[in-house]
Structure formats: structure tokens, C-alpha cells
Amino acid sequence: MEKRKLGFWEIWNMSFGFLGIQMGFALQNANASRILQIFGADVHELSWFWIVAPLTGLIVQPIIGYYSDKTWTRLGRRRPYFLTGALLASVGLILMPNADMFTAFLPALWVGAGMLMIMDASFNVAMEPFRALVADILPSDQRTLGFSVQTILIGIGAVIGSWLPYVITNWFGVSNNVSEGEVPLSLLLSFIIGAAVLVISIVVTVVTTKEYTPEEMALINAHEEPEEEESSLLNIFSDFKKMPLTMKQLSSVQFFSWFGLFGMWVFTTPAIAHHIYGLGLEDHGAEYQNAGDWVGILFGVYNGISAIYAFFLPAIAKKIGRKKTHAFSLICGGLGLISIYFVPNENWLFLSMFGIGIAWASILAMPYAILAGSIPARKMGVYMGIFNFFIVLPQILNALIGGPMVKYLYGGNPIYALVVSGASLIIAALLVVRVKDVDDKVITNN
């Protein structure tokens, strides 16, 4: 038995939940540092608060991947996990900007950091089963298209999520003027809307997508050698040791890619407020809120560029191969981040975001498309989860050293964290060259 080819709209519906996931993720990325600073975090402490996000991913994703490989319910194999993750993430989205409601029990800063952990753990519960779903359902020659469609939807959701606070403030007249320690109403409304869209989009995927049954999967994967070891959660550690060569080679690419991305997410708002707007590092008033809104616009731009570029990724990969496509894209992102240091004003930052958007599209699609061809289908979920190690470990490292580097090495100026992030993406591009793409001939010859 072979997997059937899906039409474009079937692939679209299968990945539609990613629109809501990324809308919530974009709200978190663009505004979590801003909210934590409102609640009292210093700029050099931000990376320490953000460490809860990759730590939860390190623990949650391999476990979720393992159990989603073994789960068969009326909802299917992967769908129960991203539905549960969406519901929990929506709770975190609503509660994080409202953390000051719980000051009778804990400081608002602690509650905000706790909600950041809940959100990211929940996003992790939802994301990797979605990646595995594409690999489960699509044949090899449609996987690049499948991951590219996910990237398109990620881009659309991220644009909406990133721009929401600016739109609510500037189009609907909701003021950014707040008392010290208060989150602007525009942010509160944005996070509530994001939670609603997240749940609705996931439900669309759950309702419209049919997974293969265990019997059908057994027929499809009949060519694979049967699993000899007894099934156990502890097998994650043995699977880690036995990871395919392609996965090992991609690990260093992912490491430097996500080290750079984490630095960008944590430090862009304070870096632009200080370096471009000329604000003091302790200034969190209305001008800082306006700078934060502008960062949301910029993040929306790079996500919009990524959605557009994702349309062309399958054709580019077919022409020059997935490795060269990914290397070129990462170089564009690295140069985009470094250029932030040199631009004369905030409007020139759109050019920087263009390069970052190209890199983001490729990071979300190419490594997974390359990886899927090298993984045994019966362990797609657990290996997608293990692959996440090389996403979260660099973020944990950046979280530990990023703040002290800003404080002691960069003299308190976070703009240099963005320059280092750009250099990290360029290093990742150089490392792509040595990766073996198992399906490369299948893609370029079709």
C-alpha cells in the first residue's frame, strides 16, 4: 500500500491549525519581554525568564512524540495532542498579560514567567505532532510542499499576531498610556483574540483531516524492519544514540540557527528601543510601548515575507536542492540581523526583516523536509521530538549566557546580541554543506 497524494486544499486544511499556533507564538515572541519588563524584569534578566520556554520543550517534545507514535484513538494518532496543546496554550495566552491579578499570592513577574512556561509547554505539545502528521500522511515527493504550506500558514498567523497590538492601538484608538506596572489594554485584547483563533484553527484541522489507521500504516511501512526492542518511554535514550546520520548532521545547523533566533526574540524590543529610538534602558513609558508596537510590526513583516517565500521554496529546492536553498536563506537572515546595527532609522528596519523572513521560512521547512526522509516511519513522532533537542539546547545556552553577555560584555547595550545572532545564522549556513539529504534525488528529479 502506498500513501495517496493529497490536493493542495487537503494539505492546507491538514496544516491550518498552525495558523493559530503561530499567531499565539508570535504574540509571545514579540511581547513577552515587554510584558516581563513591565512587571519589573531588567533587560539583562530577560533571557533567564525566557529559559523556561526551551526547558519545557526539552522535556515535553520527546515524550509527546513517543506517546503520539503509540496513540490510536477515535480522534487519530496525532490530533489528540495538538488539540490538548491548543486548549492549554489558550489559557496561558489569556493569563500571562493578566498576571497582576494574582499579586495577592505571588509577584506578578513570577506569575508572568509561569504563564510563559505554560504557553511554551503547550505550544510544544501541539507543534511536533503537527510536524509528524505531515510526515505520516504525505508521500516523500509531497513533503517539501507540506512543510512549505505549514510555513505559509505560520507566516500568516504570525503576521496577524505580531500586528494585533499595533492595529488595536492605532486603528481602533486604544491608548498605550498606562500606569507603572500595568499592561496596555491593546496587549490584553490581542492575547485574548489570539487564544480564540488558536482554538478555532486547531478544530478546523481536527475536523477536516483523516489520519491513516494502524492497519493502513502497517501496510504502508511493510518494507521497514520490525521493531525488535520492547516498547518503553526509556527507549527515547536508545533512539537518541541510534539517530540517523542526516539527523546528526542537521543538529549543528539547528543549534546555530536557533541560538540566533532566541537572541533575536529576547532582545529585539529593548535593542530597537535603545539603539534606534534612543530610549534609556529603564524607560518603559508610552514611547517604549510605541517602540514595542513597532517591533510587532517588524516581526509581522518578517513573518509575512516568510509566508510569501515559502510559496517558492518547493520550486527553488527542486531546482538547486534543499541544502543550497537552506544555506542561501540562512545567510540572508544573518545579514538581516547584523544590518539592524547599521540602519539610520526605524523605517530601514523593513529591509532587515526581509532577510530574516527568508531565513525563518527555510528554518521552518527545509530541516524537517530533509529529516523526514531519513527517519523510520514507525518512530516519526519520537524522532521529531528528539530533533527538538537541537532547537531547545541552543536556546537554553543563550538564555543562560545571553543576559550576562549583554550586561558585562556589551556594556548593557542589547543591540550587540542581535549582531551575534546574525553571525550565528551565517555559521549555520556554512554547516548545511556537509548534511546528507537522503531524498534529494527524489525531489530534484520529480
Side-chain angles (χ1 to χ4, degrees), residues 8 110 129 133 140 158 162 173 193 209 230 257 292 317 360 362 371 401 409 417 436-437:
F8 178 82
W110 291 17
L133 182 71
S140 294
S162 298
I193 293 169
T209 302
E230 183 180 348
S257 298
W360 181 231
S362 191
L371 177 69
I401 69 174
L409 189 60
K436 180 181 180 182
D437 187 351

Side-chain angles (χ1 to χ4, degrees), residues 361-390:
S362 191
I363 289 169
L364 292 173
M366 287 297 109
Y368 297 97
I370 295 170
L371 177 69
S374 68
I375 296 176
R378 60 186 166 82
K379 292 194 172 184
M380 190 65 69
V382 70
Y383 270 123
M384 286 289 184
I386 291 173
F387 194 52
N388 190 61
F389 285 170
F390 310 114

Side-chain angles (χ1 to χ4, degrees), residues 93-109:
L93 281 168
I94 292 170
L95 293 182
M96 184 183 182
N98 289 292
D100 54 347
M101 293 167 41
F102 303 94
T103 51
F105 309 100
L106 287 170
L109 183 57

Side-chain angles (χ1 to χ4, degrees), residues 111-163:
V111 177
M115 291 304 113
L116 177 62
M117 180 179 69
I118 290 173
M119 273 194 296
D120 209 79
S122 304
F123 287 138
N124 281 311
V125 170
M127 278 187 184
E128 290 316 305
F130 248 117
R131 303 283 189 196
L133 182 71
V134 170
D136 284 346
I137 294 179
L138 295 180
S140 294
D141 59 348
Q142 281 197 309
R143 283 176 181 161
T144 300
L145 174 62
F147 287 117
S148 296
V149 168
Q150 277 194 356
T151 303
I152 293 165
L153 287 162
I154 285 170
I156 294 171
V159 169
I160 297 170
S162 298
W163 285 5

Side-chain angles (χ1 to χ4, degrees), residues 292-375:
D293 285 349
W294 189 248
V295 170
I297 290 293
L298 295 172
F299 277 24
V301 168
Y302 91 67
N303 280 289
I305 294 297
S306 77
I308 296 170
Y309 185 60
F311 275 107
F312 301 99
L313 275 175
I316 298 171
K318 184 176 180 180
K319 186 72 174 177
I320 66 173
R322 293 189 288 209
K323 292 197 302 181
K324 290 180 181 178
T325 301
H326 194 40
F328 165 77
S329 303
L330 288 170
I331 290 171
C332 289
L335 294 176
L337 277 167
I338 293 170
S339 71
I340 295 175
Y341 180 84
F342 298 100
V343 298
N345 58 58
E346 66 271 19
N347 295 317
W348 280 90
L349 291 169
F350 287 119
L351 186 61
S352 304
M353 295 301 116
F354 187 86
I356 294 169
I358 288 174
W360 181 231
S362 191
I363 289 169
L364 292 173
M366 287 297 109
Y368 297 97
I370 295 170
L371 177 69
S374 68
I375 296 176

Side-chain angles (χ1 to χ4, degrees), residues 66-84:
Y66 171 83
Y67 281 113
S68 72
D69 281 340
K70 308 298 179 184
T71 297
W72 299 98
T73 70
R74 291 178 62 185
L75 274 179
R77 188 185 194 185
R78 313 294 183 186
R79 289 179 292 174
Y81 290 92
F82 50 71
L83 178 60
T84 301

Side-chain angles (χ1 to χ4, degrees), residues 418-434:
L418 301 189
V419 174
V420 170
S421 291
S424 187
L425 290 186
I426 292 174
I427 294 172
L430 298 176
L431 291 170
V432 173
V433 177
R434 68 191 187 99

